[in-house]
Amino acid sequence: MAQVQRMSRLMVKTLRDDPADAETLSHKLLVRAGYVRRNAAGIWTWLPLGKKVLDNISRVVREEMDAIGAQEVLLPALLPKEAYEASGRWEEYGDLLFRLKDRKGADYLLGPTHEEIFTQTVKDQCTSYKDLPVMLYQIQTKYRDEARPRSGVLRGREFQMKDSYSFDTTDEGLAESYRLHREAYIKIFNRLGLDHRIVSAVSGAMGGSASEEFLAPAAAGEDTFADCPNCDYAANTEAVTFGLKAVDGSAHPAAEDIATPDTPTIETLAAQLGVDASATLKNLLVKVDGEIVAVGVPGDREVDLGKLGEHLAPAVVELVTAEDFEGRDDLVRGYVGPQGLAKVRYIADPRVAPGTAWITGANKVDTHAKNVVAGRDFEVDDYLDVVVVEEGDPCPKCGTGLKLDRAIEIGHIFQLGRKYADTFSLDVLGQQGKPVRVTMGSYGIGVSRAVAALAEQTADDKGLSWPAEIAPADVHVVAAGKALQTELAVEVAEKLGAAGLRVLVDERPGVSPGVKFTDSELIGCPKILVAGRRAADGVLELKDRRTGEREELTVEEAIARLTA
């Protein structure tokens, strides 16, 4: 059956100029090429060309998920509160959750992810070990009330996602389901033509243990990942760790208070004492579920609040305010030190190892203390890696300096374990006739986000340039303008369509050849076939959109080349 779309009938309006609010390349080009249109902040309409690309990505995802034995379902997007209240995520998600009430006052949400509902579904459908293992997936619209939706479809409040879930009776079974998904994801992203890295990650609000992200390197990426140039180590910066190594601190003299007037910051302290900031100990005060906690890091490093939040999840972490110091004589703003903080939990980065000596606050105005040794003058309640990772930090695996790059998260896989099974008492009858608690995995792919990631990685100064697997058409046939050229273009397009190719043919009357050529490059199909100056001789020009290579071919040669 012919698969020919005429541009004269296609609902597409290309733009010559970038949208005023667009910051990223994908945002600019997807709007200019007529793939998407903005309805509101973070809410987008997928126009015919965009829907074709979205559907092609979904097709690839479905094929590879089906290949590992996963079964497709479709769960509701409108969900009752009770399941998420039971898991604790009704509160944990905070302002990211879209909440609403029905006419009777019952609470609902628009699903950001579906662990709870999948768990309940399997609990209802699977009662014996004979029913497992099972892997279920859906391609569904998800909702998150982003504070600052931006970058077009990269960070929206409504987005398309493939989420799948595995259910096994043993940890070994979970490991196998995880392996199958990991291999399927590699095949999916390879087929899509996405350059990607697999990195260690943290689980966040999802919960669970083992966790890896699939990242697409791109300047527009909102994730930063660390990559070792010497070994195979790669991790999201929130997952990079620094080993705790105690040192011998016995040679350090006793701690001593020193006058340091007007030095409430690390910068002013280091300048007055003539020392490097790395010799000082920075103590950041935060509130964890309302309780004040001190976090100690070397003075030349910054606390990664996102990393700290991941370590302490589901607790809410926020910075203290001036009001929090009221009535707290033990907390001297700008001069806090870990020694003497009896009423405050003290968390330290592993770089503040036992035996290391520091210059830090003396808990007195205009006073610091030197020779303050960890493990001798103060105790650390918890060691957590909480500093912002910097270029050159040692690789946890081999010690080589790490490289940092920006990337877009396109996939994430988790070994959830029994977190949700425990919440909903998901048991099946085991081989011994006794209940067995099920263990789970969770696996996500950002389908709409993959469209933007591909645009970021493959576009050039002329426009989009899609990989063949997901392009809206295999070939874009352009009629230069005259009646003979248009007739030949349509004829060739029909023959290509009959041969099974997806064809976009630009036979628009009254549109100049220059506009048609510009649109063909902006839209970005892999091959562009032009019926131009030699149309009367039955000769066409075939152009490769990615490389720019051109060659003249007869109609028969062009059809043979494109259908080979």
Side-chain angles (χ1 to χ4, degrees):
M1 180 182 292
Q3 303 180 63
V4 178
Q5 173 67 63
R6 294 180 178 233
M7 287 280 285
S8 62
R9 302 300 303 159
L10 178 66
M11 190 178 76
V12 61
K13 181 180 179 182
T14 58
L15 306 174
R16 299 280 79 85
D17 298 319
D18 295 333
D21 62 338
E23 298 177 356
T24 61
L25 185 62
S26 59
H27 185 178
K28 295 172 184 176
L29 292 179
L30 288 172
V31 172
R32 282 186 51 207
Y35 282 72
V36 298
R37 283 293 183 271
R38 180 182 182 274
N39 295 97
I43 303 174
W44 294 85
T45 290
W46 291 85
L47 298 172
L49 287 175
K51 184 63 164 57
K52 288 178 184 293
V53 172
L54 197 65
D55 287 348
N56 285 335
I57 291 176
S58 296
R59 171 182 52 78
V60 171
V61 171
R62 282 192 173 95
E63 288 172 1
E64 295 300 337
M65 292 305 299
D66 291 347
I68 64 170
Q71 304 172 60
E72 185 173 8
V73 297
L74 183 61
L75 274 60
L78 179 64
L79 305 170
K81 168 187 177 181
E82 288 73 18
Y84 287 78
E85 197 170 44
S87 69
R89 296 206 296 178
W90 177 262
E91 297 298 333
E92 286 173 26
Y93 262 104
D95 292 337
L96 278 175
L97 208 59
F98 277 105
R99 307 164 199 266
L100 62 154
K101 292 181 180 289
D102 67 8
R103 66 182 65 197
K104 297 179 181 178
D107 288 307
Y108 289 83
L109 67 140
L110 296 178
T113 182
H114 279 68
E115 278 78 7
E116 289 86 349
I117 311 304
F118 270 90
T119 305
Q120 291 180 328
T121 301
V122 171
K123 182 179 174 67
D124 177 68
Q125 296 292 313
C126 301
T127 57
S128 166
Y129 73 94
K130 297 178 182 179
D131 299 325
L132 301 180
V134 67
M135 295 182 288
L136 304 174
Y137 77 96
Q138 65 173 346
I139 297 177
Q140 167 70 286
T141 302
K142 307 287 189 179
Y143 300 88
R144 290 176 190 166
D145 192 3
E146 296 284 355
R148 290 183 60 244
R150 56 193 180 277
S151 303
V153 298
L154 262 181
R155 182 174 284 275
R157 296 195 290 172
E158 176 186 275
F159 52 94
Q160 292 289 308
M161 179 177 169
K162 186 285 300 179
D163 53 327
S164 56
Y165 305 86
S166 61
F167 300 84
D168 291 271
T169 56
T170 65
D171 293 340
E172 293 76 16
L174 169 58
E176 175 63 10
S177 296
Y178 186 90
R179 183 190 66 80
L180 288 171
H181 274 85
R182 192 179 194 273
E183 292 182 356
Y185 276 33
I186 293 171
K187 292 178 181 178
I188 288 168
F189 295 130
N190 285 342
R191 286 182 62 183
L192 295 181
L194 271 166
D195 176 24
H196 65 278
R197 305 286 187 275
I198 305 174
V199 305
S200 300
V202 292
S203 299
M206 301 288 285
S209 53
S211 173
E212 290 178 294
E213 287 178 344
F214 290 75
L215 301 180
E222 294 185 332
D223 280 51
T224 302
F225 74 99
D227 199 12
C228 180
N230 187 55
C231 72
D232 60 357
Y233 179 82
N236 187 300
T237 52
E238 291 186 352
V240 175
T241 59
F242 183 87
L244 178 64
K245 297 178 182 178
V247 299
D248 183 4
S250 60
H252 293 295
E256 176 186 349
D257 287 358
I258 51 177
T260 52
D262 300 320
T263 56
T265 67
I266 294 295
E267 292 76 14
T268 55
L269 174 64
Q272 185 174 118
L273 297 180
V275 299
D276 192 87
S278 62
T280 68
L281 180 61
K282 179 185 298 182
N283 300 289
L284 180 71
L285 297 181
V286 298
K287 288 188 292 186
V288 179
D289 282 346
E291 176 189 354
I292 293 180
V293 172
V295 182
V297 300
D300 63 335
R301 305 302 291 258
E302 297 297 328
V303 175
D304 187 331
L305 291 175
K307 208 171 184 180
L308 179 63
E310 294 287 357
H311 281 303
L312 301 178
V316 176
V317 178
E318 54 188 336
L319 293 173
V320 298
T321 63
E323 290 73 22
D324 294 312
F325 287 89
E326 295 177 3
R328 293 296 301 265
D329 295 337
D330 58 326
L331 301 178
V332 182
R333 194 172 188 182
Y335 298 90
V336 171
Q339 68 282 15
L341 287 183
K343 300 178 182 178
V344 176
R345 176 186 175 192
Y346 193 72
I347 295 172
D349 186 82
R351 294 163 180 83
V352 189
T356 55
W358 305 91
I359 300 170
T360 189
N363 302 305
K364 305 173 189 176
V365 176
D366 292 338
T367 308
H368 281 80
K370 65 180 182 178
N371 303 322
V372 178
V373 178
R376 184 191 72 183
D377 301 309
F378 67 92
E379 296 296 331
V380 174
D381 295 307
D382 297 286
Y383 275 105
L384 301 175
D385 198 307
V386 293
V387 302
V388 175
V389 175
E390 296 179 355
E391 186 106 1
D393 278 350
C395 169
K397 191 171 182 179
C398 74
T400 303
L402 294 170
K403 300 292 184 183
L404 300 185
D405 289 295
R406 304 293 296 173
I408 298 165
E409 182 184 338
I410 50 176
H412 207 154
I413 55 178
F414 307 84
Q415 289 190 29
L416 288 178
R418 295 172 175 82
K419 174 180 177 179
Y420 294 94
D422 287 342
T423 298
F424 297 100
S425 300
L426 175 56
D427 296 325
V428 295
L429 193 64
Q431 288 180 295
Q432 307 304 319
K434 296 181 180 180
V436 174
R437 183 61 42 99
V438 173
T439 185
M440 293 172 55
S442 174
Y443 318 89
I445 288 178
V447 175
S448 52
R449 175 169 277 223
V451 176
L454 275 165
E456 291 288 340
Q457 287 191 344
T458 61
D460 57 23
D461 58 350
K462 296 181 178 64
L464 299 164
S465 182
W466 300 111
E469 184 86 51
I470 61 96
D474 297 306
V475 58
H476 188 151
V477 180
V478 178
K482 296 179 181 179
L484 178 62
Q485 295 165 337
T486 300
E487 182 180 332
L488 180 61
V490 171
E491 177 188 343
V492 171
E494 294 292 345
K495 289 180 177 179
L496 290 170
L501 293 185
R502 299 165 298 133
V503 184
L504 183 62
V505 56
D506 193 348
E507 34 55 278
R508 292 175 292 177
V511 178
S512 72
V515 170
K516 290 181 179 180
F517 296 150
T518 299
D519 281 351
S520 69
E521 292 182 317
L522 179 62
I523 289 170
C525 296
K527 301 292 183 181
I528 300 171
L529 189 63
V530 180
R533 59 185 176 84
R534 297 195 60 191
D537 301 325
V539 176
L540 306 162
E541 182 185 76
L542 179 63
K543 177 182 177 180
D544 185 285
R545 173 65 184 86
R546 182 67 54 82
T547 67
E549 294 178 359
R550 304 168 185 261
E551 58 181 325
E552 290 189 338
L553 302 168
T554 65
V555 171
E556 292 74 18
E557 289 171 338
I559 292 173
R561 178 72 56 81
L562 290 167
T563 57

